[in-house]
Amino acid sequence: MKVYADNAATTYLSKTARDKLIECLDNYNGNPNSLHSDGQRTQEVLDEAREIVASCINAKNPNEIYFTSGGSEADNQALLSAARGLARKGKKHLITLNIEHHAILHTMAKLEKEGFEVTYLKPQSNGIVDVKDVEDAIREDTALVSVMFANNEMGAIQPIPEIGALCKEKGVLFHTDAVQAAAHLPIDVQAMNIDMLSMSGHKFHGPKGVGILYARNGIRLVNVIEGGAQERGKRAGTVNVPGIAAMAAALKEGCDNMDANMSKVRALRDRLIAGLKDIPYSQLNGDPVKRLPGNVNWSFEGVEGESLLLHLDMYGIECSSGSACTSESLDPSHVLTGMGVPVEAAHGSLRFSLDINNDEEQVDYIIEKVHQVVEYYRSMSPYWEDLLTGKREHCIPEHA
Ligand SMILES: *Cc1c(COP(=O)(O)O)cnc(C)c1O
């Protein structure tokens, strides 16, 4: 059986998105900046995509939507804009979480080199930041709070409406990396007091290489890409109209069917969680309830996540050990260690990210094979032997 359970790394293109992509590739080849008919016809497709995206997140105005090359670019532009824009007013302090995506963390590190001060908040043991910690970290000179909507590795959903209200009250800009949340969880940028928000097409069954930055009117963006006057002068480069139209179609499809999709995927997730619970010395990472509908992140003591992953792949099960970006190095995930999971437990972790394309039969197959593979590697592991003979202490209880 083949089971794709790595939807947090990327999703497959939906039929709706694919049809839209082909339609635009075939019929809309003008440059939307051209004044002739072909250009104008293409401009209409772009305008329509902008309206669709704005309505999916309840933006006040479609002109608050900027198309980018992906979630990473949107994250970079949001942080650089807030920091450089407010530095002039003497605000040189930024707040984020230590479990953010590297698109956030590496941009923050760049800003630190430019003289900004960054506070990296640690979440509670369930992966969720305490709003009180955010409040305590805000200072007179804080320019921006950037807290992700939901975590890509262990799925914890952050208290976005509460942080939005807090930032509004304190007069601090609020950005959220909603790449994992868009089309999967309800988003309302006005009700949640979100000033800037990032999304990425390929995380919700759209194409790769296209993303979205929402920036509330009144926020001055700085350019990451310089050149022509596309995207109201804030993002140069001839616009990828087919990709954008397909992304908007995928987002709309996800938002229109969100309730049904969420309950279906949640049921699969909870079936998988229930099926792994009886493996001794193993645990679910991240809050069991406030988590992405499809995310299951599990630590198994005494084994390497990478070995499990490669062995499961031989059985046709595709998942991840940590995030796709870190899985090439053998460092444990910064997300798991950042929320206090012991290094040994982080090493033996797997992430399954389920989606509407999965079914119960596949979940049962995952449960069966994970039991088999974990037992197999434990039976060969000197580390596991040490745990059994008491030479080493367990870091996960027998029945977590
Ligand atoms: C995938 C991801 C990104 C990066 O998006 P790209 O479109 O691949 O650049 C950023 N943040 C989170 C939380 C992600 O999961």
Side-chain angles (χ1 to χ4, degrees):
M1 198 188 297
K2 154 106 171 150
V3 184
Y4 184 72
D6 202 13
N7 289 282
T10 197
T11 57
Y12 290 163
L13 200 65
S14 71
K15 181 168 187 322
T16 306
R18 182 185 177 278
D19 289 349
K20 193 72 185 173
L21 192 60
I22 305 285
E23 181 200 333
C24 292
L25 288 170
D26 285 345
N27 300 305
Y28 297 97
N29 273 303
N31 184 327
N33 284 31
S34 303
L35 295 178
H36 51 61
S37 317
D38 258 15
Q40 289 315 293
R41 277 179 354 99
T42 311
Q43 178 67 49
E44 281 166 25
V45 175
L46 190 60
D47 291 344
E48 192 191 324
R50 216 181 293 282
E51 279 162 26
I52 291 172
V53 172
S55 95
C56 286
I57 59 169
N58 195 30
K60 223 180 214 166
N61 196 318
N63 72 8
E64 297 171 314
I65 303 299
Y66 298 83
F67 293 117
T68 67
S69 67
S72 300
E73 186 187 327
D75 281 344
N76 276 250
Q77 190 166 17
L79 303 192
L80 296 175
S81 297
R84 299 208 175 121
L86 289 168
R88 280 181 280 112
K89 296 185 181 162
K91 297 200 172 189
K92 302 207 74 175
H93 177 236
L94 309 158
I95 298 170
T96 192
L97 304 185
N98 64 353
I99 57 164
E100 296 280 329
H101 190 272
H102 285 128
I104 296 290
L105 293 178
H106 291 174
T107 307
M108 288 292 188
K110 177 156 130 179
L111 287 165
E112 280 183 298
K113 285 196 191 118
E114 288 179 19
F116 288 88
E117 194 186 325
V118 182
T119 299
Y120 298 92
L121 296 174
K122 182 183 172 180
Q124 306 161 92
S125 59
N126 63 357
I128 299 176
V129 70
D130 187 339
V131 181
K132 182 79 171 49
D133 289 346
V134 182
E135 185 169 8
D136 290 347
I138 294 177
R139 319 188 307 210
E140 281 290 296
D141 64 340
T142 304
L144 172 82
V145 170
S146 179
V147 169
M148 68 201 319
F149 209 109
N151 186 271
N152 45 307
E153 290 192 34
M154 50 68 195
I157 299 171
Q158 303 298 334
I160 297 303
E162 290 81 359
I163 298 174
L166 172 69
C167 290
K168 187 176 180 199
E169 182 202 320
K170 302 272 182 186
V172 176
L173 284 180
F174 177 40
H175 165 258
T176 185
D177 174 341
V179 171
Q180 291 290 332
H184 301 289
L185 296 173
I187 298 177
D188 182 327
V189 290
Q190 294 186 67
M192 295 174 173
N193 290 303
I194 296 166
D195 295 309
M196 291 187 281
L197 176 141
S198 312
M199 294 184 265
S200 171
H202 74 104
K203 301 288 175 75
F204 49 75
H205 302 281
K208 300 177 206 341
V210 270
I212 298 155
L213 174 60
Y214 157 80
R216 182 176 53 72
N217 269 336
I219 291 177
R220 274 235 233 128
L221 293 181
V222 301
N223 290 50
V224 173
I225 312 276
E226 301 285 357
Q230 291 89 357
E231 298 297 290
R232 293 174 304 292
K234 297 303 175 194
R235 203 283 179 180
T238 303
V239 182
N240 175 3
V241 176
I244 288 166
M247 168 170 66
L251 182 63
K252 182 168 176 355
E253 189 175 40
C255 292
D256 287 350
N257 299 297
M258 192 180 287
D259 287 344
N261 290 352
M262 276 199 303
S263 41
K264 179 191 167 180
V265 178
R266 264 193 203 124
L268 294 175
R269 175 196 73 188
D270 293 340
R271 187 181 183 92
L272 180 52
I273 291 175
L276 297 179
K277 270 226 158 92
D278 64 338
I279 299 180
Y281 304 105
S282 81
Q283 70 179 20
L284 176 72
N285 297 313
D287 194 276
V289 179
K290 290 177 190 153
R291 71 186 299 128
L292 284 167
N295 178 287
V296 177
N297 186 306
W298 212 280
S299 283
F300 306 91
E301 239 194 320
V303 288
E304 287 288 338
E306 285 74 14
S307 313
L308 300 178
L309 178 151
L310 294 173
H311 209 120
L312 288 172
D313 187 42
M314 296 194 326
Y315 290 119
I317 298 170
E318 290 168 327
C319 64
S320 146
S321 60
S323 82
C325 332
T326 56
S327 60
E328 283 190 8
S329 74
L330 287 178
D331 290 341
S333 144
H334 75 280
V335 172
L336 297 181
T337 53
M339 61 191 266
V341 173
V343 173
E344 295 80 6
H347 268 302
S349 73
L350 286 179
R351 176 190 68 187
F352 299 94
S353 37
L354 305 168
D355 209 335
I356 39 172
N357 299 337
N358 297 112
D359 59 30
E360 290 188 353
E361 200 192 339
Q362 293 183 334
V363 168
D364 292 346
Y365 181 68
I366 297 176
I367 294 168
E368 180 200 324
K369 290 301 169 195
V370 170
H371 276 84
Q372 187 182 320
V373 168
V374 169
E375 262 173 47
Y376 173 75
Y377 281 100
R378 279 182 173 172
S379 73
M380 302 194 310
S381 155
Y383 189 97
W384 182 246
E385 185 69 31
D386 286 352
L387 289 170
L388 289 185
T389 54
K391 272 194 211 147
R392 265 176 207 274
E393 298 254 324
H394 284 285
C395 63
I396 302 176
E398 185 172 0
H399 303 290

